[in-house]
Amino acid sequence: MGAGTVIVGTGQAGFQAAASLRAEGYAEPITLIGEESHIPYQRPPLSKEFALGQQDFESIQLRPQAFYQDHRIELLAGQKVMAIDRVARSVTLDSGRRIPYEKLVLAVGSRNRRLRVPGAELDGVVYLRSLDEAMVIRDCLEIAGQVVIIGGGFIGLELAAVARTLGKTVTVLEALPRLMSRAVPPVISEFFQKLHTEKGVRVVCGAAVTKIDGSAGNVRNVALSDGSRFPADLMIVGIGVGPNVELARDAALPVANGIVVDEYLQTADENVFAIGDCVEFPCVFASARIRLESVQNAADQAQCVAATIAGRRNAYKALPWFWTDQYDVTLQMAGISQGHDRVVTRGSAETRKLSAFYFRENRLIAIDSINRPLDHMVGRKLMAAGVRVTPEEAADESFDLKKLAQTAGTGIIRSNR
């Protein structure tokens, strides 16, 4: 047996890479290394069912402990990789142990951006990225009465929905002019602002936080640049994440908005791959180099790299898709809407069933669907197969998109490309 494959990171991407290698018939050793002491688990429930107390740790584990033994995956939890020696092809752990590799997969993820204002270090100011942080938030929510969420992105709004469902007084402070503005267009932002407002959440956009005040070391209120203040005994900060690139950078691998990889998810070193939230990669659906933070992207990139390492060289061409659950509303997104020059809709906000179709030069590039799962699935199929649909057809409820999608793979394709 050779040195095999070492995977750094035990999130969705790292776990999937290890599992997919075995599914591909890879017989060499696999070592999976992660800083968290827990075995790999799902992150999406942390801001939803887990925070509500509807799921426990066992129910969000990606696989039970026995899986790793049965599949001959050496899981090193609670250990940190300090350095990569690309010449010797080895990694060094914080314990001093050196582990050789034939192939190295960096699935090192991302970390929370920190709030840089006076008072941000007070007790009661919390973040969510890990299971340990989720357990802190869940415990705090049991006793908190007034919750302020700083950041109106997916995580912030999911936690706002949780806190409101638990009967808390909730305020969302978003620095930009609208909610989820980095991910969705105005029509979707407006829908979710109305949804949260109707549920009793106070939403303040254009909110510049300048200071957090406290007493006896605990948070008490937050001040904005316009002089307004909002009381809080729990403040959850969700202002985005940044990629963990230090390990790659210190090994002299190129980094930009993430670890730089090619269409095969290889770094500048042919023996080193990178996948998941930490990666900047060429996306055929965006016609640009991008970095994505999603379970789908992490899992699909892991499967792609596993196939390549196992001998089936594979370029990454998966269609990006995402989702968020807030109250009883599910938003599903497919494609990359940035750069669109036209948007049309199906359904209506009033019925809480609405889809927005995004076009660039009359080519469908993305769909956002609110409580319309069929539109989402059909849209994914149309875009992945390159089947052409016009803006007029997308906006026409009587036009059968499902039937059009069924032409994918039949040779009856009106090409979108």
Side-chain angles (χ1 to χ4, degrees):
M1 298 288 276
T5 295
V6 170
I7 303 165
V8 184
T10 52
Q12 182 76 50
F15 162 80
Q16 190 65 60
S20 295
L21 278 169
R22 289 296 183 234
E24 289 281 349
Y26 183 80
E28 298 298 313
I30 298 174
T31 306
L32 180 59
I33 310 167
E35 293 183 36
E36 292 190 59
S37 59
H38 313 287
I39 66 173
Y41 57 88
Q42 303 173 62
R43 292 188 189 274
L46 298 183
S47 58
K48 306 179 195 60
E49 297 88 352
F50 187 87
L52 279 168
Q54 296 173 350
Q55 285 189 289
D56 58 14
F57 177 56
E58 186 174 345
S59 68
I60 66 171
Q61 292 173 5
L62 284 163
R63 293 293 188 278
Q65 185 73 49
F67 172 87
Y68 304 94
Q69 299 160 359
D70 294 345
H71 289 78
R72 295 177 294 110
I73 298 168
E74 184 181 8
L75 175 61
L76 302 179
Q79 302 195 42
K80 183 177 182 178
V81 173
M82 303 299 292
I84 302 167
D85 185 334
R86 289 168 49 203
V87 176
R89 288 197 202 174
S90 68
V91 298
T92 301
L93 306 184
D94 50 359
S95 64
R97 177 182 172 186
R98 292 173 64 89
I99 302 176
Y101 66 82
E102 291 177 2
K103 301 295 181 184
L104 176 64
V105 180
L106 300 178
V108 291
S110 55
R111 60 178 178 270
N112 286 313
R113 299 189 188 281
R114 313 299 287 190
L115 185 64
R116 307 294 183 186
V117 299
E121 73 289 345
L122 289 166
D123 288 343
V125 179
V126 298
Y127 297 78
L128 177 60
R129 188 70 185 162
S130 68
L131 175 63
D132 289 342
E133 290 170 331
M135 290 190 289
V136 168
I137 288 175
R138 189 173 63 180
D139 291 344
C140 288
L141 281 171
E142 290 185 1
I143 58 175
Q146 295 177 309
V147 179
V148 169
I149 312 282
I150 300 179
F154 294 147
I155 295 296
L157 294 180
E158 287 169 3
L159 287 169
V162 166
R164 193 71 196 104
T165 299
L166 294 173
K168 312 303 177 180
T169 300
V170 181
T171 301
V172 172
L173 304 177
E174 167 55 47
L176 295 176
R178 57 185 177 86
L179 300 177
M180 302 187 294
S181 60
R182 293 185 179 91
V184 302
V187 63
I188 303 297
S189 295
E190 291 163 8
F191 175 92
F192 278 92
Q193 179 156 349
K194 183 178 179 182
L195 172 67
H196 281 273
T197 299
E198 289 176 346
K199 294 289 187 179
V201 175
R202 182 173 185 177
V203 177
V204 182
C205 292
V209 175
T210 57
K211 183 181 180 183
I212 300 171
D213 291 318
S215 63
N218 296 303
V219 62
R220 287 293 176 260
N221 64 68
V222 55
L224 303 187
S225 58
D226 63 4
S228 57
R229 291 180 179 271
F230 299 89
D233 44 27
L234 174 62
M235 190 171 299
I236 305 174
V237 181
I239 55 175
V241 300
N244 292 322
V245 300
E246 292 78 11
L247 194 60
R249 183 194 62 204
D250 292 347
L253 293 170
V255 301
N257 180 31
I259 301 169
V260 174
V261 296
D262 62 14
E263 67 269 31
Y264 298 100
L265 305 173
Q266 283 180 302
T267 67
D269 184 328
E270 64 178 2
N271 298 307
V272 182
F273 299 82
I275 55 177
D277 291 10
C278 64
V279 170
E280 182 192 271
F281 68 98
C283 176
V284 296
F285 293 95
S287 300
R289 296 187 62 85
I290 63 174
R291 186 177 64 84
L292 293 177
E293 300 157 10
S294 79
V295 169
Q296 168 269 333
N297 181 65
D300 285 352
Q301 287 190 341
Q303 291 166 355
C304 176
V305 162
T308 294
I309 292 174
R312 189 164 55 87
R313 189 165 172 80
N314 205 7
Y316 184 64
K317 296 179 180 179
L319 174 74
W321 56 271
F322 321 80
W323 82 94
T324 177
D325 294 321
Q326 298 171 32
Y327 307 106
D328 57 349
V329 173
T330 297
L331 169 64
Q332 295 170 290
M333 296 153 281
I336 303 294
S337 64
Q338 281 81 1
H340 70 272
D341 53 31
R342 187 174 178 185
V343 57
V344 299
T345 60
R346 277 193 177 210
S348 68
E350 290 70 30
T351 63
R352 292 193 177 180
K353 293 184 178 181
L354 171 70
S355 288
F357 294 73
Y358 307 93
F359 291 83
R360 182 170 60 236
E361 298 177 351
N362 286 321
R363 181 170 67 88
L364 180 65
I365 60 171
I367 299 176
D368 292 341
S369 298
I370 297 170
N371 289 344
R372 289 180 67 112
L374 181 60
D375 285 356
H376 174 73
M377 294 307 298
V378 166
R380 281 168 56 179
K381 194 168 185 179
L382 290 172
M383 287 183 284
V387 176
R388 185 177 65 84
V389 59
T390 68
E392 292 73 24
E393 290 167 342
D396 183 358
E397 288 271 12
S398 68
F399 183 80
D400 193 342
L401 289 174
K402 183 178 179 182
K403 184 176 180 180
L404 178 60
Q406 289 170 347
T407 65
T410 65
I412 309 172
I413 294 182
R414 305 185 299 169
S415 180
N416 221 355
R417 294 185 182 138

